[in-house]
Amino acid sequence: MRYLVFLALGYGLLVLEGALMLFIPLRAAAPDLALLVVVAVTLSRRGTAPTHAAFACALGYVADVVSGGPRGLLAFTFVAMALVGRFFSRRVYVDRWWGRMMAAAMCTAVSGTITVAVHALVATHATLQQVV
């Protein structure tokens, strides 16, 4: 039940983020609110790694559908961030606000790196398919 509430919260934040994107002049500067929900759930230390990964996959797929991007990209990224957040919750002191802030910043940086890498792999594969 807890994860369904967080899934609804993530969906609501995705809709809010989409509405706010109309008013933000720099699209790259917009925060990824759904990713922050995944990181917050993962850093809470409640639940197991498979439930966190399943929640991240579900919210990532919803984000894929809402964003109109390639399906599975955000789901893959959110699952990876759930695992990274799980690593931080077990190894880094995240009971204080600054620990959570640093973990969220690291997850955001790794998320951007994974997204760019997957886009590059997909573009390379598409280029190779056109050549052959």
Side-chain angles (χ1 to χ4, degrees), residues 20-31:
L20 290 177
M21 289 292 281
L22 297 173
F23 302 110
I24 296 176
L26 297 173
R27 299 224 182 248

Side-chain angles (χ1 to χ4, degrees), residues 17-57:
E17 181 182 343
L20 290 177
M21 289 292 281
L22 297 173
F23 302 110
I24 296 176
L26 297 173
R27 299 224 182 248
D32 193 356
L33 300 176
L35 176 65
L36 292 178
V37 170
V38 169
V39 171
V41 167
T42 306
L43 291 178
S44 70
R45 295 186 181 176
R46 294 177 63 189
T48 61
T51 56
H52 290 163
F55 167 73
C57 185

Side-chain angles (χ1 to χ4, degrees), residues 28-108:
D32 193 356
L33 300 176
L35 176 65
L36 292 178
V37 170
V38 169
V39 171
V41 167
T42 306
L43 291 178
S44 70
R45 295 186 181 176
R46 294 177 63 189
T48 61
T51 56
H52 290 163
F55 167 73
C57 185
L59 187 57
Y61 188 74
V62 169
D64 282 330
V65 170
V66 170
S67 71
R71 297 238 170 103
L73 176 66
L74 291 176
F76 174 75
T77 304
F78 285 4
V79 170
M81 290 308 96
L83 297 177
V84 169
R86 180 80 173 180
F87 172 80
F88 279 128
S89 73
R90 299 293 181 211
R91 308 242 178 347
V92 178
Y93 188 67
V94 292
D95 290 337
R96 304 274 185 189
W97 65 270
W98 55 269
R100 287 182 182 258
M101 183 180 69
M102 292 304 293
M106 288 298 296
C107 285
T108 304

Side-chain angles (χ1 to χ4, degrees), residues 2-26:
R2 176 177 180 259
Y3 292 105
L4 290 176
V5 171
F6 280 117
L7 190 64
L9 174 69
Y11 176 73
L13 288 175
L14 281 169
V15 171
L16 179 69
E17 181 182 343
L20 290 177
M21 289 292 281
L22 297 173
F23 302 110
I24 296 176
L26 297 173

